[in-house]
Amino acid sequence: MSLESAALSRVKPSATLAADQKGRELKAQGRDIISLAAGEPDFDTPDNIKDAAIKAIRDGKTKYTNVDGIPELKEAIVGKFKRENGLSYKASQVNVSPGGKPVIWNAMLSTLNPGDEVVIPTPYWVSYWDIVLLAGGEPKAAPTTAGNGFKLKPEDLEAAITPRTRWLFLNSPSNPSGAAYTRAELRALADVLLRHPHVWILTDDMYEHLVFGDFEFSTIVQVEPALYDRTLTMNGVSKAYAMTGWRIGYAAGPEPLIKLMAKVMSQTTSNPSSISQWAAVEALNGPQHYIKTNAKLFESRRDLVVSMLNQARGIHCPTPEGAFYVYPSVAELIGKTAPSGKVIASDQDFAVELLETEGVSVVFGAAFGLSPFFRISYATSNALLEDACSRIQRFCAAVK
């Protein structure tokens, strides 16, 4: 009899974490590896946030807290949503979890029954699909294409919704594509959702502050307030504040859902780290000026990577609106032979051969539900990005 449960057998390990770990292992063996797999800012956590955490430790704020967040952090989140998004919530409508993944997990485990469907636009963040499976639901892909900017069209959303649809996931800017929805594009999706009142919306706004040029971020409840009572608006401190290891995600939504999510937490994780919560209070309430500065740096990195990848033979790289990812196509390389002599039959083969030949770690597109593409995280230095893209150009030039 297998030790693994039937529920766990439905899911796969995170492909992004696996790619990053493989790169670490090869580097430990002495290989010259550049990892562009992990979605983690290379900036350090700002000093004011570190200082707040140290103060919390010295002040003895090291005990258990309320299961889903201290009152001070919930109030800071209420203030953030009002200040930045024009959304009004009460503290009782806020959930704080140990990261973004637990927010999604808590919401799905709270609400999904066997047979319930969750519509997920492709390409999607790797964890969406498997969290739904683990929670007992049925993920349902809603296709996008590079031609439409990797953004869900209203007619495709309409086609994906059935009487069994429980949730729609929206992620803008997107991991892995960097695509971000304009207000008009969200308006068109909202019009579809208004016709289907049984569908709830989880909008993942984790990369809200990483948008480029004159793009203006909007979240769907801003565009259509009538969706307020069935939308969970998720965010976190990981990306904007370079706090990935602090593990704080948060969301706001209808109070009955927030209570259910806290019930799940009471029997799973319990509260997020008390120290991390106090650091997050400072992140949200403290100085914000460096966020735009960091976004401008990411924008310059995006431009560098897009330019260099589009100079690689057989690669086409769209220009994303936000986040710190690009999602290039390798369609022209499928069926060709890598320098090792192996045939590149899939985007996974491309990623494996690139790592083995040139020491560049990327994540293959099938992991995100849409092939033949691959994802690069450009959350690293210009020097490393130039080196990595030069290696990719060299690899592609050697493909026959």
Side-chain angles (χ1 to χ4, degrees), residues 263-275:
K263 183 178 178 181
V264 173
M265 293 178 71
S266 74
Q267 295 294 0
T268 52
T269 60
S270 192
N271 63 273
S273 160
S274 60
I275 307 307

Side-chain angles (χ1 to χ4, degrees), residues 4 10 20 64 111 119 130 133 135 160 176 216 240 256 265-266 339 362:
E4 184 178 45
R10 302 180 78 197
D20 189 50
Y64 293 133
T111 59
V119 174
D130 289 298
L133 286 172
E216 293 187 9
M265 293 178 71
S266 74
V362 300

Side-chain angles (χ1 to χ4, degrees), residues 90-107:
K90 298 178 293 184
S92 58
Q93 293 178 274
V94 173
N95 171 274
V96 183
S97 290
K101 284 183 186 179
V103 171
I104 302 168
W105 166 250
N106 296 335

